[in-house]
Amino acid sequence: MLLASLNPAAVAAGADIGDAVRIDGATLSRSDLVGAATSVAERVGAAGRVAVLATPTVATVLAVAGCLIAGVPVVPVPADVGAAERRHILTDSGAQAWLGEKPDGAAQEGLPHVPVRLHARSWHRYAEPSPDATALIIYTSGTTGPPKGVVVSRRAIAADIDMLAAAWQWTAEDTLVHGLPLYHVHGLVLGLLGSLRIGNRFVHTGKPSPAAYAQAASEAGGSLFFGVPTVWSRIVEDGDAARALAPARLLVSGSAPLPVPVFDGLAALSGHQPVERYGSTESLITLSTLAAGERRPGWVGLPLTGVQTRLHSEDGGQVPHDGETIGRLHLQSPTMFDRYLNRPDATAEVLGPDGWYRTGDVAVIDGDGMHRIVGRESVDLIKTGGFRVGAGEIETALLGHPGVREVAVVGVPDDDLGQRIVAFVVGDASPDELIEYVAQQLSAHKRPREVRLVDSLPRNAMGKVLKKELVQWV
């Protein structure tokens, strides 16, 4: 059963807790979740696919759970998405209705609205859908054209949550806290569905502010905290909020690389070295450091149980696992997506007939199997003067300078070098000082040829820097 904690028989037999989910000022018991979500299932059971406006509300929780009980695929739609992108998601997915919160009139795109009745209850017993049935169609950020619908099965979600439970020693005794969006893997699959499968208490803070995380640690007894690097950076800057997390069991960072100074700051202030992990919408989470293992700043750990990885060079050869040589990361996993909806061409580009997924990321692997993600091959692998340089290595070096708060490094076309290294820095150090600083820390060919001071870096909702936008700034 995908949502194992919502087993009606188990709840009726006494496996209930009064605060299974806290979100948007409301608290739901496990029996509330079962009854209200089953009521939703009765209302949408005949639908092919439904769109859910993925706000952090009780309505969203019940809409998603109800669809999964009924076996109806969910299309999560960001509340702040632009009109053209929303129209594309609805048209491409074939969603038949809005379920839960209703967008404003102009945003409904002519679809009927099915409200979630928060106080309705049903105790109908539904047969568990096939593990191969589609659970979610999650749309990617669309960095290369319109967003693609990633078709994710129930089997993949269940496998991923179980693998992470083993890696993080995640149990029903935990109280999981986060304030992340409920339309991506991190907040929706790991945070919400993970909690509904494992049976731990789930607390959504609304906005992921330092004060909200600190409050959840003290008042809700948070033991397991999820955050993106921007969240953890702000918590470290707050200081008191980081110290308030000391009673927690585990801090987990993902969705973007965690800067080493933030890792070190969390360790110093909270007493916890954060767990880092790696994944994608297509593969879910496949690599992680372990609750009981080494946590190395800048490294995302080992393959989870059942995952295989390999590194390929540009000519298709195998790359040695020496901790230095950069290669294209490919992987196999039981958590893999089924396909891109309506895009067999795009599916074939990344998912080979041998079952290996070409991630589009470049990485290094050391002799112990630890992985470090260099970044996206398209923007983070810089070919300059005959050398292959990872942007992440330069970013890590720059973040070690006391005058640098944030940084993003890109390669831009150059007639002489092929690509020249340009660093965008939020901070108060001089460009010449930073260029020299990197030259002293790393090889001379890895120093930026240009440093641009900026007020902020463009980021998406998950905190990832939009590097293709930065290249256009040059």
Side-chain angles (χ1 to χ4, degrees):
M1 183 175 181
L2 175 57
L3 305 183
S5 76
L6 300 190
N7 183 327
V11 173
D16 195 7
I17 54 177
D19 56 349
V21 168
R22 301 186 195 179
I23 189 169
D24 195 30
T27 299
L28 297 175
S29 69
R30 193 165 290 155
S31 59
D32 288 334
L33 288 167
V34 172
T38 305
S39 175
V40 171
E42 289 190 339
R43 305 190 72 200
V44 299
R49 294 167 189 158
V50 298
V52 173
L53 194 67
T55 54
T57 60
V58 171
T60 296
V61 172
L62 296 178
V64 172
C67 285
L68 294 178
I69 288 171
V72 175
V74 177
V75 182
V77 180
D80 60 352
V81 71
E85 187 170 329
R86 180 177 54 246
R87 189 176 303 115
H88 167 75
I89 291 172
L90 297 175
T91 302
D92 187 67
S93 68
Q96 295 170 302
W98 285 104
L99 174 64
E101 285 198 29
K102 179 172 65 174
D104 64 61
Q108 288 187 52
E109 304 295 340
L111 293 181
H113 172 237
V114 180
V116 167
R117 295 171 178 166
L118 303 183
H119 302 291
R121 299 291 184 268
S122 170
W123 306 108
H124 180 76
R125 300 289 180 89
Y126 279 85
E128 178 72 3
S130 166
D132 295 322
T134 298
L136 301 170
I137 302 173
I138 306 177
Y139 278 78
T140 61
S141 56
T143 55
T144 54
K148 297 188 288 289
V150 179
V151 179
V152 184
S153 70
R154 302 172 70 93
R155 183 192 303 277
I157 292 172
D160 203 47
I161 294 167
D162 292 348
M163 290 154 57
L164 290 171
W168 298 344
Q169 300 176 359
W170 179 5
T171 73
E173 300 304 311
D174 279 304
T175 295
L176 191 158
V177 178
H178 77 69
L180 304 174
L182 295 182
Y183 51 82
H184 279 160
V185 169
H186 198 164
L188 175 59
V189 176
L190 274 60
L192 178 59
L193 301 188
S195 297
L196 296 182
R197 180 170 179 80
I198 290 172
N200 57 270
R201 289 174 168 85
F202 173 75
V203 177
H204 196 285
T205 64
K207 292 184 178 179
S209 68
Y213 274 46
Q215 183 178 8
S218 62
E219 297 182 6
S223 62
L224 180 59
F225 286 78
F226 291 171
V228 298
T230 302
V231 172
W232 295 125
S233 177
R234 291 171 181 169
I235 287 174
V236 168
E237 288 176 6
D238 184 280
D240 288 342
R243 284 184 282 271
L245 298 180
R249 185 179 67 79
L250 204 66
L251 312 182
V252 180
S253 181
S255 297
L258 183 70
V260 172
V262 178
F263 181 104
D264 292 339
L266 281 173
L269 293 168
S270 73
H272 296 289
Q273 291 184 324
V275 160
E276 297 184 65
R277 86 303 184 277
Y278 164 84
S280 65
T281 308
E282 290 85 350
S283 69
L284 304 182
I285 308 305
T286 49
L287 306 172
S288 181
T289 51
L290 306 178
E294 178 188 7
R295 303 178 205 172
R296 191 185 306 171
W299 294 71
V300 294
L302 305 167
L304 298 174
T305 302
V307 176
Q308 294 179 284
T309 64
R310 67 188 184 193
L311 295 181
H312 273 202
S313 62
E314 287 185 334
D315 61 8
Q318 294 286 327
V319 170
H321 293 185
D322 57 10
E324 294 290 339
T325 308
I326 297 172
R328 295 168 171 166
L329 179 63
H330 298 179
L331 57 86
Q332 279 186 326
S333 173
T335 63
M336 202 62 62
F337 77 127
D338 290 339
R339 66 190 186 281
Y340 292 121
L341 188 66
N342 307 321
R343 292 291 305 277
D345 55 334
T347 304
E349 287 178 7
V350 300
L351 197 58
D354 57 359
W356 285 85
Y357 169 55
R358 297 181 282 274
T359 66
D361 289 319
V362 286
V364 300
I365 305 175
D366 73 5
D368 296 323
M370 286 282 279
H371 291 61
R372 178 170 64 84
I373 304 300
V374 174
R376 297 297 292 172
E377 182 180 3
S378 57
V379 293
D380 291 307
L381 182 60
I382 302 171
K383 301 173 185 178
T384 180
F387 295 97
R388 291 159 56 88
V389 177
E393 184 179 13
I394 305 168
E395 290 165 352
T396 297
L398 282 166
L399 284 166
H401 190 285
V404 175
R405 294 190 296 275
E406 296 181 67
V407 63
V409 170
V410 298
V412 300
D414 185 273
D415 291 339
D416 180 41
L417 298 169
Q419 287 182 302
R420 71 179 185 278
I421 299 171
V422 178
F424 291 84
V425 170
V426 178
D428 51 19
S430 74
D432 289 343
E433 178 185 358
L434 294 177
I435 291 171
E436 180 59 26
Y437 179 78
V438 175
Q440 293 174 359
Q441 301 291 317
L442 305 175
S443 302
H445 67 268
K446 296 179 180 179
R447 74 188 187 282
R449 298 302 177 115
E450 182 182 353
V451 170
R452 296 192 177 197
L453 300 179
V454 296
D455 293 331
S456 63
L457 300 174
R459 297 179 183 271
N460 66 14
M462 297 303 292
K464 294 182 181 179
V465 176
L466 303 174
K467 290 196 171 183
K468 289 188 177 181
E469 183 173 325
L470 286 178
V471 172
Q472 298 303 314
W473 289 8
V474 179

